[in-house]
Amino acid sequence: MITIIRYGMQEALRRKVFLVVLSLTIVFLGLFWVINHFVFRDVAHITPPEDVHVDSRTFAGAFMFGLGMFATLFLGVVLAVFLTLGVVSGDAERGLLQPLVVRPIGRAALLGARFLGAAAVCAAYVLAVYFGAMLIVGGTGHWWPDRIVTPGIELVAAVVIVTALSLLGSVVLSATANGIAVFMLFGAGLVAGLLGSIGHALDSHAVKTSAAVAAWVLPFEALYQDALRQITASTSGVTGFLLQLGPFGGAYIHGWGIRLWAAAYLALVAFGAALVFARRDL
Amino acid sequence: MPAALAVSGLVKRYGAVEALGGVDLEVREGELVGLLGPNGAGKSTLVKIAVGLVRPTAGQAALAGAVAGSLAARRALGYLAELFRFPGWYTADEVLLLHQRLAGSDGGAEERRRLLELVALADARDRRVEAMSKGMQQRLGIAQALVGEPRVLLLDEPTSALDPVGRRTVRLLLEELRGRGVAVLLNSHLLSEVELVCDRVAILLDGKVVAAGTPAELARPRGVEIETDAGLETIAGAGREDAPRLVAERVAAGRQVYGVRVLTSTLEEVYLEKVGGATS
């Protein structure tokens, strides 16, 4: 298994996936620092009306860090997709997979190793960007989230689920089709999350239900929303209410129910990928 | 002892297309069997089923007594795919190291050195795959298939990209493997090559075996050619068993006999006769 994990890493290095993602990340973190610097400089001069009890620094900090978490999730998903989109179909089309599959390691172990390798890289990357964004917001705005570790772990879990979905897609779809499909799923999840915020603001039952269904079908979105909720878990009053309105605030499906479902969902996707791969002609 | 490779009643359908329509074939230990047929005859499908890359619709395939695709079968097998590629950034030595690890071979550096030498790539040990010619990559593919000393070797068009010297290297290698008791199924379009090295030949057409046997069994007698002081004479329809009598008759008639040659059809002629003009 270690052999295949290493093989996957070398492949990613050679295809310059890490280089592209690292460059994008440096650009993002640089821009993020500049934006935070100006936001917190200006926030210092904003004084809300006396009858509006908004903690402008907390609001700005949570909003900016929420933005940072969104970017972390997006970049993590980009990395996950590009590490896995052609693992089965793409490599089979190019004739890279067949010499490996006929070896005693077997299909399930091969797929599992590719998943573990990609998931480990994505997890390390997401945590690095997450804590980098937190340090930038904390350093420039002197604001720190109410929960530090759990939101990061939930972001990691969200990206790991996308990794598994992309791996499953690579078994049945060509690399290009898989990349498009996973990004569309990711986009659909984000839209559903935003719809949830709108539905709650408008108190629309239909919109709230649709968003809830989408959150359970695509639990990476629910985990991301829950991570956002946790960074202001102890923030109350008007500031908390405004943050809950979104787009980087509330989660309406949250807690251990969705976390356990996400774990089960991941296991189901992994099992499905192994099952389909075992039966696929190469 | 079970056959090194045994397929029986093998059927494979891709939707409405029948790639294999009930194939029976055996390769025994130390035997080199050639698989011939036009494009689309089902040769690669048969090999892919035998190595576990493709699932049969019906029938059985077994390697060294184990179901094709099972762990025991994969442990006994060496395979070179028709269309394969190794990561371009690997050196020849790294490709073999990767496959040693996957095959669980403990041959180490000595096995890699020996395999590269066998396929005349000893000098290219540290050369990256992306810097190799197609022929070198194919020879590396053969070396890869030999990692872990497999009992059964399935080679799908192993010499398609090789020059005559490369082909000869592979031919000698196959003969050496046969001597060591390795069973080889050779899928090739190169009839002359198959005729030179294979103990038996099976010709596939439209997913069915239309002829099988040793090259000598498949060859049809075309006559006996006798060179005498009266010139070259061809006796059509005569076979090997007629040659002594024909020579004796000419000697009795006072002719000087300088040479006798039994004429048989070549494998190419047998092949063309069996497959007609089929190609795709």
Side-chain angles (χ1 to χ4, degrees):
Chain A
M1 257 201 162
I2 300 291
T3 303
I4 293 296
I5 290 173
R6 192 185 301 144
Y7 173 84
M9 295 298 105
Q10 286 173 324
E11 185 186 36
L13 271 175
R14 291 295 302 186
R15 289 189 186 162
K16 300 190 171 74
V17 172
F18 291 143
L19 188 67
V20 170
V21 173
L22 192 69
S23 309
L24 281 173
T25 307
I26 290 168
V27 170
F28 160 69
L29 289 175
L31 280 172
F32 192 62
W33 181 84
V34 170
I35 293 166
N36 273 274
H37 171 74
F38 287 112
V39 164
F40 286 110
R41 189 194 66 182
D42 295 343
V43 160
H45 303 299
I46 295 174
T47 310
E50 277 184 15
D51 53 339
V52 179
H53 302 288
V54 174
D55 177 351
S56 49
R57 181 162 298 277
T58 297
F59 183 82
F63 198 89
M64 290 310 295
F65 189 51
L67 177 67
M69 286 170 67
F70 168 75
T72 303
L73 179 72
F74 177 75
L75 289 170
V77 165
V78 169
L79 181 61
V81 170
F82 280 99
L83 282 177
T84 53
L85 86 172
V87 160
V88 175
S89 292
D91 280 6
E93 279 164 24
R94 287 179 294 147
L96 282 164
L97 189 64
Q98 290 83 346
L100 305 179
V101 165
V102 299
R103 292 295 179 190
I105 182 174
R107 295 189 183 201
L110 193 135
L111 201 64
R114 295 303 299 262
F115 170 69
L116 286 178
V121 169
C122 291
Y125 173 78
V126 166
L127 286 177
V129 181
Y130 170 78
F131 284 112
M134 188 188 295
L135 286 174
I136 288 172
V137 175
T140 52
H142 308 293
W143 177 89
W144 299 94
D146 296 336
R147 304 270 188 285
I148 303 276
V149 177
T150 326
I153 292 172
E154 286 189 310
L155 276 187
V156 166
V159 173
V160 167
I161 288 174
V162 175
T163 307
L165 283 171
S166 177
L167 213 59
L168 170 63
S170 85
V171 180
V172 290
L173 298 171
S174 70
T176 309
N178 186 33
I180 292 169
V182 176
F183 275 118
M184 288 187 85
L185 270 183
F186 176 62
L190 291 182
V191 170
L194 288 173
L195 270 180
S197 296
I198 294 167
H200 279 83
L202 301 175
D203 198 23
S204 163
H205 178 71
V207 175
K208 281 194 289 189
T209 307
S210 305
V213 169
W216 286 94
V217 172
L218 303 169
F220 61 83
E221 164 60 20
L223 290 173
Y224 163 62
Q225 293 286 340
D226 197 37
L228 284 175
R229 183 186 64 88
Q230 291 205 52
I231 63 171
T232 54
S234 308
T235 307
S236 55
V238 178
T239 310
F241 173 74
L242 288 175
L243 285 168
Q244 291 290 311
L245 288 177
F248 302 120
Y252 306 101
I253 304 290
H254 55 78
W256 280 105
I258 192 68
R259 290 176 196 159
L260 290 174
W261 165 240
Y265 184 92
L266 180 63
L268 283 172
V269 171
F271 178 72
L275 195 70
V276 177
F277 186 38
R279 304 181 67 83
R280 207 198 125 154
D281 287 345
L282 292 169
Chain B
M1 179 177 274
L5 168 66
V7 302
S8 62
L10 211 56
V11 176
K12 179 63 186 178
R13 290 191 200 94
Y14 294 102
V17 178
E18 189 176 74
L20 292 176
V23 171
D24 300 308
L25 184 72
E26 258 194 27
V27 183
R28 291 182 288 272
E29 207 170 274
E31 192 180 29
L32 222 160
V33 174
L35 199 55
L36 298 172
N39 295 333
K43 305 186 299 294
S44 288
T45 302
L46 174 60
V47 173
K48 282 181 173 183
I49 290 174
V51 300
L53 286 175
V54 167
R55 291 157 57 89
T57 308
Q60 283 97 39
L63 261 93
V67 175
S70 66
L71 179 61
R74 280 183 272 129
R75 280 195 176 132
L77 139 85
Y79 170 59
L80 176 69
E82 183 185 8
L83 300 169
F84 72 95
R85 200 186 285 180
F86 297 126
W89 57 89
Y90 272 20
T91 64
D93 193 58
E94 286 169 341
V95 168
L96 297 188
L97 179 62
L98 171 72
H99 283 273
Q100 278 184 320
R101 286 176 174 154
L102 294 177
S105 166
D106 53 8
E110 173 53 27
E111 183 188 36
R112 300 198 296 277
R113 188 198 57 75
R114 186 172 44 78
L115 289 176
L116 289 174
E117 212 162 77
L118 270 177
V119 295
L121 283 178
D123 294 339
R125 178 181 176 276
D126 297 317
R127 191 180 297 188
R128 287 184 187 277
V129 171
E130 62 201 0
M132 288 182 178
S133 68
K134 190 88 179 67
M136 289 171 86
Q137 289 184 32
Q138 196 153 35
R139 277 184 281 145
L140 179 60
I142 293 169
Q144 166 274 142
L146 293 170
V147 164
E149 300 191 346
R151 290 169 57 193
V152 191
L153 197 57
L154 294 103
L155 305 173
D156 203 347
E157 301 288 357
T159 55
S160 57
L162 300 186
D163 58 24
V165 175
R167 280 180 196 158
R168 187 167 179 277
T169 302
V170 172
R171 205 166 57 231
L172 295 174
L173 174 63
L174 292 177
E175 283 166 355
E176 190 192 321
L177 290 169
R178 174 172 48 196
R180 281 198 238 151
V182 177
V184 183
L185 181 66
L186 175 67
N187 180 4
S188 176
H189 279 304
L190 297 167
L191 301 171
S192 55
E193 187 176 275
V194 169
E195 193 166 25
L196 275 172
V197 294
C198 289
D199 303 308
R200 283 191 302 123
V201 173
I203 299 176
L204 240 63
L205 180 66
D206 295 334
K208 294 184 176 68
V209 176
V210 291
T214 64
E217 283 167 354
L218 291 177
R220 225 175 359 87
R222 274 184 18 202
V224 173
E225 199 175 71
I226 303 176
E227 188 186 357
T228 65
D229 54 347
L232 195 63
E233 188 185 359
T234 303
I235 299 95
R240 188 170 178 273
E241 64 284 0
D242 300 314
R245 180 181 52 81
L246 293 169
V247 172
E249 282 172 9
R250 274 138 190 88
V251 171
R255 293 276 170 239
Q256 300 287 320
V257 177
Y258 300 122
V260 184
R261 196 155 69 97
V262 180
L263 302 175
T264 56
S265 55
T266 61
L267 187 58
E268 184 178 63
E269 287 163 333
V270 175
Y271 174 85
L272 290 173
E273 184 191 315
K274 296 293 178 189
V275 306
T279 186
S280 67

